[in-house]
Amino acid sequence: MTAPVNRFKQKLKGSTMQYGCWVGLADSYAAEISAQAGFDWLLVDGEHAPNDLRSIMQQLQVIAASNSDAIVRLPVADTALIKQMLDAGAQSLLIPMVDSAEQAAAVVKATRYPPDGIRGVGSALARASHFNAIPDYLTTANQEICVIVQIESCAAIDALDDILAVEGIDGAFIGPADLAADMGFIDNAKAPEVMDVIENTLKKISASNVAAGILAMDKDFIARSEAAGATFIGVGVDVILFADAMRSLAKNPTMR
């Protein structure tokens, strides 16, 4: 018996278009609603949402019962946090603010057991191994881990070729808001200068052996991202969807 097959990673390799949603409400009940909505993938956010290891694990548990695939975004590229999230059952990780090939290589090493990496061996305690019920977990886990690096700075754009060449990187995901801010266009990710960089970057990623992804939450942005080669796109954020719906109803309580 081997480690569970990572469906999301397989789809990335097959260039299958996948639409997802950010899950930032930091609650398993809300995550279950999102999981039943029918998205291809859900991103449990540990960077900007008030999540911790336990809350993320609980959300992974409810998402696992659905047809959506789970991705976990860590707050930082930390070896110990990566180990904990993998042991908790995450197989696909989005790592923010990766600005160099050295950083990307370190992230990959943190997700692999020796001799390919430095992930600590504690699978007997881990949800990932079904609590030691998967006899071949240690020898098969590496191939099912999906590593996505987030490209969201001018430094990352400059180092993109080297980052994409790092073995073990499965996806590169553009963060439009941070990239725009770093370029001097804070809160204006659709500035022509930013959009040019985004589209050129997506084209470069899609021309490599790495899948291209982005967060794009309106019809035009989604279409432009697809045309540039993005194959996994975040099309919404649960916090924004909930807040907008609540405000809209409060302003027009009878207009339903």
Side-chain angles (χ1 to χ4, degrees), residues 20-211:
C21 188
W22 242 242
V23 177
L25 288 169
D27 180 83
S28 60
Y29 200 73
E32 188 170 15
I33 295 171
S34 297
Q36 293 179 6
F39 290 101
D40 295 312
W41 54 270
L42 297 172
L43 187 287
V44 183
D45 193 1
E47 183 183 18
H48 292 297
N51 272 308
D52 58 19
L53 177 62
R54 283 185 177 273
S55 69
I56 290 174
M57 183 182 69
Q58 289 164 356
Q59 290 169 82
L60 290 174
Q61 289 171 325
V62 299
I63 294 171
S66 75
N67 290 322
S68 297
D69 296 315
I71 308 169
V72 173
R73 179 162 73 168
L74 295 182
V76 66
D78 179 83
T79 300
L81 287 176
I82 290 172
K83 174 176 59 179
Q84 287 184 309
M85 289 300 168
L86 294 179
D87 283 353
Q91 286 187 297
S92 299
L93 300 179
L94 177 63
I95 307 299
M97 295 292 180
V98 175
D99 295 332
S100 69
E102 291 75 20
Q103 282 181 285
V107 168
V108 173
K109 287 190 70 174
T111 67
R112 268 52 171 180
Y113 285 123
D116 300 323
I118 59 171
R119 179 181 174 186
V121 179
S123 60
L125 300 173
R127 176 175 175 268
S129 70
H130 296 182
F131 311 103
N132 215 29
I134 301 176
D136 296 326
Y137 180 80
L138 290 174
T139 57
T140 59
N142 286 1
Q143 66 195 45
E144 300 300 340
I145 301 303
C146 180
V147 176
I148 308 163
V149 293
Q150 200 153 1
I151 306 299
E152 45 190 343
S153 70
C154 295
I157 298 296
D158 291 340
L160 185 61
D161 288 335
D162 292 334
I163 293 172
L164 296 176
V166 173
E167 186 176 355
I169 298 298
D170 300 291
F173 192 95
I174 297 176
D178 280 298
L179 179 59
D182 199 42
M183 290 178 62
F185 295 91
I186 193 165
D187 200 28
N188 189 14
K190 294 180 185 176
E193 296 88 342
V194 179
M195 288 301 301
D196 284 345
V197 171
I198 287 174
E199 290 178 317
N200 288 334
T201 302
L202 286 173
K203 290 175 183 177
K204 181 177 285 191
I205 297 168
S206 64
S208 72
N209 291 322
V210 174

Side-chain angles (χ1 to χ4, degrees), residues 221-241:
F221 202 166
I222 292 168
R224 293 178 68 173
S225 298
E226 290 180 353
T231 56
F232 64 112
I233 302 176
V235 295
V237 177
D238 63 348
V239 175
I240 296 173
L241 292 168

